[in-house]
Amino acid sequence: DTAVSQTPKYLVTQMGNDKSIKCEQNLGHDTMYWYKQDSKKFLKIMFSYNNKELIINETVPNRFSPKSPDKAHLNLHINSLELGDSAVYFCASSPPGISHTEAFFGQGTRLTVV
Amino acid sequence: DAKTTQPPSMDCAEGRAANLPCNHSTISGNEYVYWYRQIHSQGPQYIIHGLKNNETNEMASLIITEDRKSSTLILPHATLRDTAVYYCIVRVWEAAGNKLTFGGGTRVLVKP
């Protein structure tokens, strides 16, 4: 009954490959996010989707393309992987409305590009 | 969003209260103070948030100064499982796309 689940948990791949990370939330939230945590442990937002529409795109290279088939899913596709893409990627979701409730994060996907 | 300043690390004895300070001197009137923590190898976890008044929940208490330029997160009885990086974030609430901007946080080590 995990609230926000990501797959895979670990991903090791070679430079130049294309890979995807999947995210699903069963909380009924309207908004989903992708965050990147680099080797220095800084967490930065990459994208945000609200009801399947892109609302935040934080100057992420075009090689990264989020896709939201429905509001419970936000997948991250990465083309032509580079060494610098190695990081932990976190998916998150938050509810809509005027309440200031929190964001729920997944357990992360550790991507290693070799 | 306003920037925050936190000490990079602090130790705390198990069973004692842990007081985590955060400076946000440039906070604006419509910005909230949020606290999250990240336990090793896990995703960030929401702890508490507030605007002006002090707040308490089952995890912690949040004390915000009257001028709102600083706040303190209090873990009343720290346990070993509270060892984590604690992030103080200030931001305006938006109807959609509530972006969280994480800083360096405070690495808290709870010792037996």
Side-chain angles (χ1 to χ4, degrees):
Chain A
D1 58 347
T2 305
V4 181
S5 60
Q6 301 177 223
T7 55
K9 188 172 182 179
Y10 300 96
L11 182 56
V12 181
T13 187
Q14 291 185 327
M15 278 196 308
N17 283 351
D18 303 335
K19 290 294 179 183
S20 296
I21 306 172
K22 295 185 177 180
C23 179
E24 176 182 6
Q25 54 96 1
N26 61 5
L27 299 166
H29 292 169
D30 284 358
T31 307
M32 296 185 71
Y33 313 81
W34 277 107
Y35 283 79
K36 178 182 179 180
Q37 188 166 38
D38 60 25
S39 57
K40 295 182 179 179
K41 302 298 184 183
F42 287 110
L43 265 161
K44 294 183 181 179
I45 191 167
M46 302 173 67
F47 300 102
S48 174
Y49 268 70
N50 186 61
N51 278 321
K52 302 194 297 177
E53 290 188 17
L54 179 66
I55 52 175
I56 294 176
N57 183 340
E58 290 286 313
T59 60
V60 177
N62 292 336
R63 298 183 295 104
F64 290 79
S65 55
K67 287 184 172 55
S68 183
D70 55 63
K71 76 174 191 179
H73 295 83
L74 181 62
N75 304 322
L76 183 64
H77 301 275
I78 314 172
N79 296 323
S80 302
L81 277 156
E82 301 176 357
L83 293 176
D85 297 333
S86 295
V88 182
Y89 292 84
F90 289 98
C91 177
S93 71
S94 64
I98 61 173
S99 64
H100 298 271
T101 51
E102 67 272 26
F104 292 79
F105 284 79
Q107 291 299 296
T109 295
R110 182 175 294 277
L111 171 65
T112 303
V113 183
V114 297
Chain B
D1 292 343
K3 291 185 178 179
T4 62
T5 303
Q6 300 177 250
S9 64
M10 64 182 295
D11 293 346
C12 177
E14 187 179 17
R16 304 294 293 270
N19 297 317
L20 282 63
C22 179
N23 287 325
H24 31 79
S25 58
T26 59
I27 192 171
S28 59
N30 60 348
E31 287 184 309
Y32 286 73
V33 180
Y34 284 75
W35 283 84
Y36 280 74
R37 73 180 183 184
Q38 187 175 22
I39 296 171
H40 181 64
S41 296
Q42 296 184 21
Q45 176 191 23
Y46 166 85
I47 301 173
I48 199 167
H49 75 276
L51 181 62
K52 295 180 181 179
N53 300 323
N54 298 337
E55 302 288 344
T56 295
N57 62 21
E58 64 278 5
M59 290 182 68
S61 295
L62 174 60
I63 308 298
I64 303 174
T65 57
E66 192 169 344
D67 62 9
R68 303 210 322 124
K69 293 185 176 182
S70 66
S71 60
T72 301
L73 179 74
I74 301 173
L75 306 177
H77 305 287
T79 70
L80 299 179
R81 288 177 294 180
D82 291 323
T83 291
V85 179
Y86 287 77
Y87 297 97
C88 169
I89 300 166
V90 293
R91 66 166 177 82
V92 176
W93 178 84
E94 300 172 39
N98 292 304
K99 179 173 70 174
L100 295 170
T101 302
F102 291 83
T106 296
R107 187 173 298 275
V108 173
L109 176 61
V110 180
K111 296 182 174 180

